[in-house]
Amino acid sequence: MSLKMLAPTHIPVLVNETIKALAVQPGGRYIDCTLGSGGHAAAILDHSSPGGQLLGIDADPEAIKIAEERLEAYSGSALLINDNFTNLQTICFKYDFFPVHGILFDLGLSSLQLEDRGRGFSFQHDGPLDMRLSPDQEVTAADIINTYSQVELAHLIKTYSEEGYSRKIAQHIIKQRPIETTLQLVQTIEQAIGGRRGKIHPATKTFQALRIAVNQELEHLKTALRQAVDLLGFNGRLVVISYHSLEDRIVKQFMQQESRADNARLRLINKKVITPSQAEVQLNPRSRSAKLRAAERIITKDEYFKTTEKLCFSVGVEAGGWRRPALLERLRRAFSAP
Ligand SMILES: C[S@@+](CC[C@H](N)C(=O)[O-])C[C@H]1O[C@@H](n2cnc3c(N)ncnc32)[C@H](O)[C@@H]1O
């Protein structure tokens, strides 16, 4: 079943808190790096009207199709791009989308992706062990499960999920190979460490680890956070919603580091992490692990002008046909805008 047939059931998480943390204003220019079904994007477009612009990015072409439908009414203000957010800077310069007033990352998967058994993300549905966000990616979860050595598998599971039984699980995987479906993997994990004991299913952590590995989630997040800070204009806001401790640790450490130095580039907006209310968790149980962190860019107009000019050339905009005087003119125009 395709994602489109399952739409629309993804409920955006911490929407009001996101709009507040992004300080969305009419006429502002925003990037949603994890467009999904366009829930946050629609809220950003509503609050930035009139004159707001949104660049929406998603690695999953199915998500882009759904968001295109949902955001049809805003088509003049929204530009939706099917790409990985690890290419954030290149995308912005290619589409002349700067300076930016706010950048959002709502990490992980949408409910639609999780519920689509053909994608293999969930241990609750039987399906092929795929787990790729984009069909353009080469390596699937089955490739990893069936080709890594026992030591490599144990290391991957431990590193990307902090699973205490990683060695036992890896040992059983090796014994049961080839493993091609989610159900086969669930059964293998249950044989290794037993069935459900508390609220957490025994396959939860291994599935998380595989998904992170297949999509290089942590590496891409680190790269994109650095690029996002460079793209933000004066007082621009960076907002990240994460759903597990490995992601949240990266975001927390990044924001703390960038706000601590003498020449700090960020100022923390919320020193304490923002989490959903009980009412939101009741309405949308998938929001329960969400953590929102936000920071504001500290930069002068002069510094921004210089950094952006340097970046434009370093990401090869010239190769795309831009000439230096034209670029400088674009930057000047961008800076005279509100
Ligand atoms: C939690 S969902 C976002 C839901 C969205 N905020 C909404 O309101 O509908 C996360 C989305 O980010 C996308 N995603 C995850 N990692 C990505 C990456 N590295 N590059 C681009 N998109 C990514 C996923 O495909 C998924 O659609």
Side-chain angles (χ1 to χ4, degrees), residues 10 12 32-40 57-60 63 83-85 106-110 113 133 220 243:
H10 182 87
D32 183 346
C33 294
T34 48
L35 186 64
S37 321
H40 284 105
I57 301 170
D58 204 293
D60 184 347
D83 203 337
N84 198 295
F85 59 55
D106 175 25
L107 298 168
L109 299 176
S110 70
Q113 288 165 323
L133 284 179
H220 288 336
Y243 295 87

Side-chain angles (χ1 to χ4, degrees), residues 259-312:
S259 59
R260 213 183 274 140
D262 282 347
N263 49 351
R265 301 197 306 156
L266 291 178
R267 180 180 73 79
L268 298 183
I269 301 291
N270 55 319
K271 295 219 163 64
K272 243 183 104 202
V273 74
I274 295 173
T275 54
S277 64
Q278 273 184 358
E280 176 165 1
V281 175
Q282 228 163 18
L283 193 77
N284 179 16
R286 279 202 178 125
S287 69
R288 67 186 175 277
S289 50
K291 290 194 168 135
L292 184 151
R293 295 186 187 273
E296 186 173 71
R297 178 78 163 107
I298 306 169
I299 191 165
T300 64
K301 286 196 182 194
D302 263 7
E303 275 170 338
Y304 187 80
F305 190 100
K306 278 186 213 142
T307 322
T308 311
E309 187 191 5
K310 215 163 79 197
L311 279 170
C312 283

